[in-house]
Amino acid sequence: MWCGRVALRRLQRIAVAPLNSLSITGGLPGAVQREMSSLPRVYITRQIPPEGLKILSESGQVQFDLWDSDDVPVPRKELLQKVKGVDALVCVLTEKIDAELLDAAGPNLRVLSTMSVGFDHLSLEELKKSGGWGTWRTLWLCGYELANSTVGILGLGRIGVAIAERLKPFKVKKFIYTDVAPRPELASLINAEYVSMDELASQSDFLTVCCALTPETKDICNKDLFSKMKNTSIFINTSRGGVVHQEDLYEALSSGQIAGAGLDVTVPEPLPISHPLFTLNNCVILPHIASASYSTRNAMSALAANNLLLGLKGQPMIKELKL
Ligand SMILES: O=C(O)C(=O)CO
């Protein structure tokens, strides 16, 4: 018996363990589970003999899921599901490791270890494509255009207006917004139409959340909102993670209810790398950097300092939160 080790091309991860699957994190105390959840994820395609499992469990270096049977190979459909996002894969000779499987696994996959001396079940050509982009394909990495689109702004303030101003040159057809009440002065700057929350959901091709997080807006972007959005729509959140019900967003993205999401903010921050949202190829997550330019951060610090000095002098602040 020989365990081959082949370097692969990309990176990603996921979780859950249905029938016939065993997870070594199950049954462990919560704190241990949390610590383990940051370990590289491995999927083992067969109930391999105990020595190998023991080495992996005792290494403390990985968490793994296993097809818990030696009698029947893991069904292909289950395999394609289970490899999503794994960092490494242990396979046996019954599993075809080809482009479809590598695509299903995603870019996290770094190591493939086969419990066999033969390697005819491995598509070496595919495995050799280390880090490459592959050939140009007609619909490869295509997205939706801003041109002729309707952009919806949830919570129209200075940020919503600034976003719309930046988007205008991309030939957006229409800006719509919703808020607790119409904001005609701000709306007139970007020619935006006031709509209901339902209309915002159903009409927006791109829905961008710009509201503050308050008790009223917590989880406001939830199943109800996503279920009314088009399945070609993109959801963007640069406000606060708490305005989004993340489990509902995960459902909406993974079921194809909406086309994609771009999140600059999450709950918690940073979002643990084991979070299911990271496993999706239609969700882009950034570490709260929407304002991360030297000039913006300097302007923010200057404003904070000037507000403080004015406050100390008992004078009206430049920007004051009305309590
Ligand atoms: O100013 C804020 O509230 C931020 O989120 C920084 O980008």
Side-chain angles (χ1 to χ4, degrees), residues 200-217:
L200 190 86
S202 63
Q203 292 179 24
S204 298
D205 296 304
F206 298 86
L207 197 164
T208 181
V209 186
C210 303
C211 61
L213 174 62
T214 63
E216 290 74 35
T217 60

Side-chain angles (χ1 to χ4, degrees), residues 239-240 288 291 297 300:
S239 67
R240 286 294 181 266
H288 201 146
S291 64
R297 291 284 166 86
M300 286 164 72

